[in-house]
Amino acid sequence: MNETDLDRLIDRAAAELIEWQPSRALRHVVSARIREPRRQARPRLLWGSAAMAAILCATLAIALMNRAPKSSVAGRDARLTPNVTSPSAMVEPSVPGDGQVASAVEPAPPVARATPRRAPRPTVVPTDLPSSIESLTPEPLVMPSIDLPPLESQAASVERIEMEELTIEPLTASND
Amino acid sequence: MTDGELVEQVRAGDPAAFGELVERHQTAVYRAALAVLGNAADAEDVAQEAFVLAYRRLDQFRGDASVKTWMISIVWRLALSRRRRVVWRLRRMMSSDAELDSVHAATLTPEDNLRTAQLVAAVRQHIRQLPPKLRDALLLTAAGDLTQEELAAAMNIPAATFRGRVRDARLRLKEKLKHLA
């Protein structure tokens, strides 16, 4: 097989790969799409708008939840304890009777208020609601006496130490 | 009526004139897509997209090249874009070339002897294995709808580059076919 035969073979194979005809409906399909040029653009636009609106709503909801709306908490507390006017009175209620505080959460320290988004918010239980916890009446403790043997102290016996008397000699003028 | 006159009619508000342009050039546009994608269904789909895009951008046609060259440049870019898609590549990898081979086997005439048919099938297989740039140039030239200069203009490459690709494709094929011969 020479070069010419190889060229013919290549031409024939390439032609078989490419010599296809489009379907007869191509012109009609194109004409139909041209008459309705933006039919598919509208649903895309709608879906895109819906997705954007959903994302916006979710973002707003998360932002509102993270804001820790003090006003709403205070408003809720105000509704629950209508007579309370000051925050200190709200968080330290006094229960008449046995003198025990039914339940009150310590107010958040000032440092915690400086970071309101992350600090846990105190939950205030209304004081005008009847407490379901019974008051405790502890019994007096009985301390049994413990009998211990008296401690014996022994006197230490120290032997007398005999020492020679010291003699003080006067210093001489010379150093011999 | 020339292509230019049809374009002017479409610009004047006659979309039916564009149907005539589609009728004239649909084979060339379809084969250009087929050369790139190697699949009849994908080629039809991309050709359809190309015609719709050409209609919408008809105001950008300046008349520097022929309408056919301009349309083939559009379908060329669309087909290349689809060929670069990962999903399309995966689908092509999973599908076989049995579709084209079965059609080609049916087109064999009784005069074709078995050896010739086997040789042509082997060449087709080697053409598919060529690098895409060489294969595209070879197949577009084989389609015969445009000259190599026009095809180079549609692909936005120098004519010498296009001719070199065709020559390189032939040389590679001949190297592989020597042992068959």
Side-chain angles (χ1 to χ4, degrees), chain A:
Chain A
M1 189 173 283
N2 55 24
E3 286 283 318
T4 308
D5 293 335
L6 283 176
D7 280 330
R8 284 179 188 166
L9 203 59
I10 291 169
D11 289 338
R12 178 175 172 176
E16 284 186 0
L17 281 173
I18 200 68
E19 283 184 349
W20 284 47
Q21 292 289 334
S23 69
R24 294 177 181 177
L26 180 60
R27 176 179 177 174
H28 302 293
V29 173
V30 171
S31 298
R33 288 187 61 182
I34 285 171
R35 288 191 193 99
E36 300 175 10
R38 302 291 176 189
R39 192 178 59 180
Q40 290 186 352
R42 194 174 297 168
R44 285 181 186 173
L45 189 64
L46 286 176
W47 280 112
S49 303
M52 288 295 292
I55 292 170
L56 189 63
C57 288
T59 307
L60 282 174
I62 292 171
L64 286 175
M65 289 172 68
N66 285 339
R67 277 277 171 87
K70 294 175 184 176
S71 59
S72 66
V73 171
R76 185 183 61 197
D77 295 340
R79 285 195 303 274
L80 294 174
T81 58
N83 293 331
V84 175
T85 54
S86 68
S88 61
M90 268 197 319
V91 298
E92 294 177 0
S94 61
V95 178
D98 54 356
Q100 293 181 349
V101 176
S103 64
V105 178
E106 292 293 328
V111 175
R113 286 183 182 275
T115 57
R117 289 192 177 185
R118 297 297 177 191
R121 290 184 295 277
T123 56
V124 179
V125 176
T127 57
D128 54 351
L129 295 177
S131 175
S132 61
I133 303 172
E134 296 179 356
S135 60
L136 299 175
T137 54
E139 297 179 355
L141 294 175
V142 178
M143 299 293 291
S145 61
I146 302 172
D147 294 332
L148 294 174
L151 293 175
E152 294 180 356
S153 59
Q154 293 182 350
S157 62
V158 180
E159 294 182 355
R160 186 182 178 88
I161 301 173
E162 293 182 357
M163 299 180 66
E164 292 181 356
E165 291 183 359
L166 293 174
T167 58
I168 300 172
E169 295 179 353
L171 295 173
T172 59
S174 64
N175 204 16
D176 294 339

Side-chain angles (χ1 to χ4, degrees), chain B residues 105-160:
Chain B
T107 58
L108 286 175
T109 60
E111 295 79 31
D112 289 323
N113 57 42
L114 182 61
R115 173 154 178 77
T116 305
Q118 288 175 341
L119 278 173
V120 172
V123 177
R124 283 204 307 264
Q125 190 61 33
H126 286 304
I127 291 174
R128 287 196 190 98
Q129 293 171 353
L130 283 172
K133 287 182 178 178
L134 304 186
R135 185 180 62 228
D136 296 344
L138 181 71
L139 291 179
L140 285 171
T141 304
D145 296 306
L146 292 177
T147 65
Q148 290 192 348
E149 284 71 22
E150 288 172 328
L151 288 170
M155 296 167 68
N156 199 22
I157 58 174

